[in-house]
Amino acid sequence: MGKPTGFLEYRRELPAYKPVAVRIGDHKEFIESISKIKVEKQAARCMDCGVPFCHSGCPLGNNIPDFNDMVYKDNWQAAYKILASTNNFPEFTGRICPAPCEASCVLAINKEATAIEMIEKNIIERAYKEGWVQPNIPLMRSNKKVAVIGSGPAGLAAASQLNSAGHRVTVFERSDRIGGLLRYGIPDFKLEKTVIDRRLEVMRAAGIEFKTKAYVGKNITVESVLNDYDALLLSGGSTIPRDVDVKGRELKGVYFAMDFLRQQNERNAGDTIKKEEIILAKNKHVLVIGGGDTGSDCVGTSIRQGAQSVLQIELLFQPPKGFNPETPWPQYPAILRTSSSQEEGCQREWSVLTKEFVGDANGNLKAVKLVDIEWVNGTFNELEGSERELPCDLAFLAVGFLHPQLEGLLSELGIELDERGNVKTQKYATSKTGVFAAGDMRRGQSLVVHAISEGREAARKVDIYLSGSSVLESKEHSLISVVD
């Protein structure tokens, strides 16, 4: 490493956030910029640790010490080449990844981890600014055509890889814009959609074709796609949300989280929302059921819309602060975290069960009945005397997803599913020859970084199926590159 004592000389430093009062005034990203010199100092904190556990902590197997070293040495172009060799979209992961690599950083054993995610974001933003991000146009084209169905992070990563292998790739997206979860599930204040559009321009220039409003199994027949393409990759995501069996669930005002988040993203994009479908939190008491990232996104969106109050509840118990002996290093720690959205004005409660949604005479949600619970040996008991009724005008269900949509594409293909209702695969290949699957549709609901990794790995399997072998990079079969 260029600075063996860097971790002793510099403390962890991250870019500042815009003040809460400023950032909740719009839906734009709010993380301030940080100077080049400060980023280089943060890269200098990367230890010469011998065994870089961050490699295994990162689902993509990023060569983290190598690009940190190049940043410290002011060779940012080399850092970009190293980063891009394993990650198709650092501009996405540098913004929305929970950074399991940092949890696995050796420095994190007794100090603050290297600021890997922040460094990654600054590398790719510098690369765009300097013009280093160029279309990866293959020198030769095969005579093979691949249909990628679904344009989320898994589908986009697979399309990028398969195109670089020389195949003709077409991405089918049933919505009117490309991006899947990136486009419609993640709020703009975490990922502005110009970031996606910038990458799509590069991918189009590389030769990838995108088709929107292309709903395979509805307005495009499954048979036609099977006939027109040599291989299919299914990357439609896990789109069926988990519901709750609570009295009053049918009331107007109780919605799935993704319906709320998608609508605000559409509004930000200039779309017109039908009057009868509008979901707005302005001047309302909001309940968010679910303590994960999606719930947090509902919190931040509700606050920006002008909610009167926001309460976020979690069925599980509150995780410990600081250290959890059940998830020691280098595991990703199950500890108490507070998101930027929760810092903006949200009340949080744990071990709370929703008992009933209460409506008015017109079928509108007006209140919610909650009760505290106690967990004992994996089951819970309601605590006597803790039931209460709170005013509530909007309730968002952010309790995860079950499986991909089964009717239409999957049912017509007739492929096998696993016990959870996801697409069953063997090395990314489904039970139907020439049809592969990747991402949440295959593994279940997960992180964007896992989806990108899935897309890359599946692309390699598709390439082997089409060509007999593959030179595509893989986490399992990584190529060692030397940067001059």
Side-chain angles (χ1 to χ4, degrees):
M1 301 300 296
K3 187 72 169 177
T5 59
F7 72 99
L8 297 172
E9 298 175 30
Y10 308 120
R11 293 184 60 85
R12 178 180 167 102
E13 183 178 0
L14 298 176
Y17 291 172
K18 291 181 180 178
V20 170
V22 174
R23 70 185 193 234
I24 65 172
D26 57 42
H27 293 267
K28 297 183 181 299
E29 292 182 17
F30 53 81
I31 298 178
E32 304 279 16
S33 60
I34 187 170
S35 72
K36 172 177 170 290
I37 297 299
K38 286 187 175 182
V39 177
E40 291 171 355
K41 286 183 177 179
Q42 290 304 300
R45 295 185 71 243
C46 185
M47 302 171 67
D48 187 7
C49 56
V51 179
F53 283 81
C54 54
H55 278 292
S56 57
C58 173
L60 288 163
N62 284 340
N63 299 315
I64 295 165
D66 293 354
F67 68 63
N68 280 338
D69 191 32
M70 290 298 102
V71 168
Y72 168 69
K73 293 176 178 176
D74 197 19
N75 191 346
W76 286 68
Q77 188 169 8
Y80 165 66
K81 289 180 179 179
I82 295 168
L83 177 57
S85 71
T86 56
N87 187 349
N88 300 81
F89 313 122
E91 63 268 42
F92 304 155
T93 55
R95 286 172 164 82
I96 58 177
C97 183
C101 55
E102 294 186 13
S104 299
C105 175
V106 173
L107 187 56
I109 295 175
N110 61 357
K111 291 182 180 292
E112 293 182 306
T114 304
I116 300 168
E117 184 181 24
M118 182 273 289
I119 296 168
E120 181 177 308
K121 177 184 175 182
N122 278 271
I123 291 171
I124 186 62
E125 292 303 319
R126 174 86 182 268
Y128 273 109
K129 182 179 179 181
E130 300 291 344
W132 302 331
V133 182
Q134 294 294 320
N136 188 7
I137 303 172
L139 297 176
M140 295 180 62
R141 287 286 183 186
S142 72
N143 61 349
K144 304 296 185 180
K145 296 168 61 181
V146 182
V148 175
I149 302 176
S151 70
L156 292 179
S160 179
Q161 293 295 98
L162 287 165
N163 179 75
S164 68
H167 306 303
R168 296 286 182 183
V169 182
T170 301
V171 179
F172 293 81
E173 170 55 55
R174 66 183 180 179
S175 296
D176 57 354
R177 295 181 180 90
I178 297 295
L181 175 71
L182 297 168
R183 175 77 61 180
Y184 292 113
I186 297 174
D188 284 13
F189 56 79
K190 290 173 66 174
L191 175 67
E192 289 188 31
K193 303 312 176 260
T194 53
V195 176
I196 303 174
D197 296 335
R198 177 179 63 179
R199 174 59 68 173
L200 292 177
E201 288 180 11
V202 176
M203 295 178 71
R204 287 191 180 95
I208 299 172
E209 181 181 2
F210 294 96
K211 292 186 177 182
T212 55
K213 299 181 182 178
Y215 198 157
V216 180
K218 193 170 183 179
N219 64 349
I220 295 177
T221 67
V222 174
E223 182 181 8
S224 67
V225 178
L226 287 172
N227 289 336
D228 293 344
Y229 292 87
D230 299 287
L232 272 65
L233 177 64
L234 310 177
S235 53
S238 182
T239 56
I240 304 302
R242 180 176 285 108
D243 211 335
V244 295
D245 184 14
V246 175
K247 183 180 179 181
R249 169 64 181 87
E250 76 287 350
L251 293 170
K252 184 177 181 181
V254 184
Y255 301 99
F256 289 118
M258 204 53 65
D259 294 337
F260 175 58
L261 297 175
R262 180 186 181 101
Q263 188 177 108
Q264 183 56 54
N265 282 4
E266 291 173 336
R267 191 178 287 114
N268 293 343
D271 294 350
T272 300
I273 310 300
K274 294 180 181 178
K275 185 176 180 180
E276 64 273 14
E277 297 178 357
I278 290 176
I279 309 171
L280 278 176
K282 185 175 178 61
N283 298 325
K284 295 181 179 179
H285 296 287
V286 176
L287 172 69
V288 178
I289 301 174
D293 290 340
T294 302
S296 178
D297 292 343
C298 288
V299 169
T301 302
S302 297
I303 291 172
R304 281 159 179 77
Q305 289 184 358
Q308 186 172 344
S309 68
V310 182
L311 169 63
Q312 184 179 21
I313 62 172
E314 170 60 59
L315 186 67
L316 299 176
F317 49 82
Q318 180 176 334
K321 298 179 180 178
F323 175 73
N324 186 344
E326 295 185 3
T327 54
W329 181 91
Q331 298 180 54
Y332 190 73
I335 58 175
L336 180 64
R337 291 179 172 84
T338 300
S339 71
S340 59
S341 292
Q342 292 160 343
E343 292 173 344
E344 292 165 358
C346 166
Q347 180 183 347
R348 303 164 71 188
E349 296 182 9
W350 288 264
S351 298
V352 176
L353 175 68
T354 306
K355 290 283 286 184
E356 181 182 348
F357 297 114
V358 182
D360 61 17
N362 297 316
N364 298 307
L365 179 66
K366 71 171 185 179
V368 62
K369 290 183 180 179
L370 305 175
V371 64
D372 294 332
I373 60 174
E374 180 182 30
W375 286 91
V376 181
N377 297 325
T379 61
F380 63 81
N381 302 310
E382 297 182 14
L383 294 179
E384 187 177 351
S386 67
E387 185 171 320
R388 66 258 188 210
E389 182 173 309
L390 303 175
C392 180
D393 308 297
L394 280 178
F396 299 124
L397 309 181
V399 290
F401 295 83
L402 296 173
H403 49 67
Q405 182 176 317
L406 304 181
E407 64 272 15
L409 173 62
L410 297 184
S411 61
E412 289 188 40
L413 283 172
I415 56 179
E416 291 183 28
L417 305 175
D418 65 19
E419 63 278 1
R420 296 183 297 165
N422 297 318
V423 177
K424 186 176 182 179
T425 62
Q426 181 67 31
K427 295 183 178 179
Y428 296 93
T430 71
S431 59
K432 190 175 184 68
T433 302
V435 180
F436 299 78
D440 291 2
M441 178 175 270
R442 187 192 81 93
R443 66 174 289 146
Q445 178 191 5
S446 191
L447 304 172
V448 167
V449 67
H450 277 299
I452 297 172
S453 176
E454 289 260 319
R456 291 174 61 88
E457 299 297 323
R460 192 172 191 276
K461 302 302 182 184
V462 174
D463 189 28
I464 292 172
Y465 168 76
L466 294 174
S467 308
S469 62
S470 180
V471 295
L472 291 176
E473 298 86 351
S474 167
K475 186 176 180 180
E476 297 175 355
H477 305 85
S478 59
L479 300 177
I480 300 175
S481 61
V482 179
V483 180
D484 295 329

